[in-house]
Amino acid sequence: MSGPARLVTQGLRASVEGKEILKGIDIEVAQGEIHALMGPNGSGKSTLAFTVMGHPKYEVTGGAMSFDDQDLLGLRADDRAKLGLFLCFQYPTAIPGVTTVNFLRAALRAQGKEMPAREFMKRLSDEMAALRIDESFRSRYINDGFSGGEKKRSEILQLAMLRPRLAILDETDSGLDVDALRTVAEGVMRIAGPDIGVLVITHYPRILEYLRPHVVHVMHDGRVVMSGGPDLARRIEREGYEPILGTAVPEPARV
Ligand code: ADP
Ligand code: MG
């Protein structure tokens, strides 16, 4: 008997270059749920995303973390990906020399999800059309010379092709105009459903109008300081973070 797979962190602490950033995070996201993680710049949202995914620069210094009842500590990022974890990067990296097609085929193969060439090409075309990505992007090098919006859509394309069990979207909405934001949000909603858990990191409530999270968490200074329903995001939209955090917060940098 196995229910939905869950990502669970308990008292998770992590450091970057010797500096403690995460100061005890308890979070639980199950397949089928959409959670939003909000908070001012520098709260540690990206650090949490990298720590869950297993970026080697982020050192876990305390607490526990599991997915689908499997201990994540000690697993490399690629093993975590095989378990079904996926991260859409806040700042996607270009990989000159590796085309989108080759990258996706290799990633699917590595995860034991290879499919016949015809089926792969058909699915790729469908997903690219849904995300309004030009066909020429198949043979372009990943993120090489892509605009900000193209990079974000390319991340969602990877998500749509790989169909992970838990996806973390790290500010996939930042820097997008209203139309691109809607395309990205619709791309996420196309794959949302009982088989995928989504943790949407954002500091703008707008994308949440489309994604309709079940739970909203607010992070500040390495801790989750408040969790609530969708109303919490609306409150942040109206009032900003200061009344919730009880402290002045710096203006977010617009990326
Ligand atoms: P957020 O995503 O909420 O804006 P981050 O997780 O990026 O926050 O950053 C939290 C804190 O950790 C910041 O003070 C930032 O300077 C620091 N930090 C994050 N990543 C690194 C890194 N790779 N090297 C050094 N400091 C980092
Ligand atoms: Mg960040």
Side-chain angles (χ1 to χ4, degrees):
M1 216 187 68
S2 67
R6 299 172 173 278
L7 170 71
V8 181
T9 74
Q10 290 164 312
L12 185 68
R13 293 177 168 268
S15 297
V16 189
E17 289 168 0
K19 181 177 161 204
E20 182 171 72
I21 308 292
L22 301 185
K23 300 171 180 170
I25 301 280
D26 297 283
I27 210 166
E28 195 170 326
V29 184
Q31 273 178 304
E33 296 176 355
I34 301 180
H35 290 233
L37 181 65
M38 306 185 69
N41 261 349
S43 303
K45 303 182 298 296
S46 293
T47 300
L48 177 62
F50 282 127
T51 303
V52 166
M53 207 59 222
H55 191 303
K57 237 174 120 172
Y58 296 75
E59 190 199 349
V60 174
T61 52
M65 172 166 63
S66 66
F67 180 65
D68 196 19
D69 295 325
Q70 299 202 48
D71 190 357
L72 293 178
L73 299 179
L75 289 189
R76 294 187 323 217
D78 57 315
D79 290 322
R80 297 183 198 202
K82 279 179 202 155
L83 278 181
L85 296 176
F86 179 90
L87 171 62
C88 277
F89 293 113
Q90 182 171 6
Y91 302 110
T93 312
I95 317 177
V98 179
T99 63
T100 296
V101 162
N102 286 340
F103 175 81
L104 287 171
R105 292 215 77 167
L108 285 163
R109 194 179 315 123
Q111 296 190 9
K113 297 178 185 166
E114 210 169 1
M115 56 186 104
R118 279 178 67 100
E119 188 187 332
F120 171 82
M121 286 304 183
K122 168 85 173 67
R123 263 197 59 199
L124 185 61
S125 283
D126 291 348
E127 301 293 354
M128 288 176 82
L131 287 164
R132 302 192 180 95
I133 298 175
D134 192 85
E135 287 281 321
S136 65
F137 278 72
R138 287 164 181 261
S139 49
R140 285 182 61 180
Y141 298 146
I142 289 262
N143 291 321
D144 194 21
F146 289 15
S147 71
E150 287 163 351
K151 284 182 189 171
K152 302 286 169 139
R153 277 181 285 155
S154 160
E155 294 285 293
I156 301 295
L157 176 65
Q158 293 170 31
L159 171 66
M161 290 299 288
L162 290 169
R163 299 284 165 140
R165 293 197 284 169
L166 189 115
I168 303 173
L169 312 183
D170 193 358
E171 300 208 19
T172 303
D173 53 339
S174 65
L176 297 182
D177 62 32
V178 181
D179 293 328
L181 179 72
R182 191 183 306 119
T183 304
V184 161
E186 284 171 359
V188 176
M189 288 318 280
R190 258 165 53 82
I191 59 152
D195 296 332
I196 183 168
V198 185
L199 180 64
V200 190
I201 297 175
T202 180
H203 57 222
Y204 303 113
R206 183 182 278 158
I207 194 170
L208 305 179
E209 293 296 323
Y210 300 103
L211 299 185
R212 306 196 162 276
H214 306 102
V215 187
V216 176
H217 310 276
V218 179
M219 202 168 158
H220 183 54
D221 193 21
R223 294 184 178 88
V224 174
V225 292
M226 194 179 280
S227 297
D231 283 354
L232 185 51
R234 285 187 210 110
R235 182 174 163 203
I236 291 167
E237 172 111 70
R238 279 197 316 271
E239 303 173 10
Y241 288 109
E242 294 189 7
I244 287 171
L245 303 176
T247 171
V249 296
E251 265 294 288
R254 308 218 168 217
V255 185

